Amino acid sequence: MRTLAVVTILVLGLTVLAGFGPQRELSEQDQPVAGRLWLDPQVPRVGESVQMRTVLFNLENPPLLPLPYESPRGGDTIVGLFMPTGRTGEYITRLTYTQPGRRWINIYLEGPEGRLALRTAFWVFDDDELPEGPVPESLAVVVSPEPGREAGLPPWLEPATYIAIVVVIAAELAIIAWSLIFVRRQQRLAV
């Protein structure tokens, strides 16, 4: 009985921890490529304005409307719009990063099955840092396996959902622990 409880607690704990693991490197071989992204300058630096141009070429009828994007990294998330340039599937934006490190760009499209997220990643460097090795001229924009966030949802909803999940799992673990303690006491009283 005790072994089963320990295994159950370990499985639940590992399941929770697996959700917080590092994201895998995006690869063109793993996910369908929806387009390319160009950075100007090619090596983005902290505090420097970066122009981003994306061309989405594997989509039927790319929208002529601005495309919402977010660039998350830890607690620092930049939100904005890629504006259409007038050429089919081409969009442009300009932003400035205030922290160095790996950055993601998630571009959101409304599709027939709901919201679709397109994603790419790159590095932002401090002024005194240099990239290791050559810098690619353009980056693949791949279709993300997770759907994009729904438009119009309040920003507090996602963290509140995660908190609720943690509370439910913690309550389950507390119930399991209490049950084990109760059964053990009953066994001691029976002997």
Side-chain angles (χ1 to χ4, degrees), residues 3-18 169 173:
T3 305
L4 180 62
V6 169
V7 170
T8 303
I9 291 171
L10 284 174
V11 168
L12 283 173
L14 290 174
T15 303
V16 169
L17 291 176
I169 291 172
L173 291 174

Side-chain angles (χ1 to χ4, degrees), residues 31-115:
Q31 298 156 331
V33 176
R36 305 287 305 171
L37 179 85
W38 288 265
L39 302 174
D40 185 20
Q42 277 184 301
V43 179
R45 306 247 183 231
V46 171
E48 182 177 56
S49 179
V50 179
Q51 178 178 304
M52 296 182 187
R53 180 176 67 92
T54 187
V55 176
L56 305 177
F57 50 76
N58 279 347
L59 301 174
E60 291 181 28
N61 304 321
L64 298 174
L65 301 170
L67 300 178
Y69 73 85
E70 68 179 8
S71 182
R73 181 175 184 270
D76 176 32
T77 300
I78 299 173
V79 178
L81 294 171
F82 269 96
M83 304 304 287
T85 63
R87 293 185 215 158
T88 304
E90 185 178 58
Y91 303 87
I92 198 165
T93 193
R94 185 172 288 279
L95 59 141
T96 303
Y97 289 103
T98 58
Q99 297 178 7
R102 187 157 179 89
R103 296 304 297 228
W104 284 264
I105 292 286
N106 300 320
I107 304 169
Y108 299 113
L109 296 169
E110 296 298 332
E113 287 91 34
R115 200 153 214 221

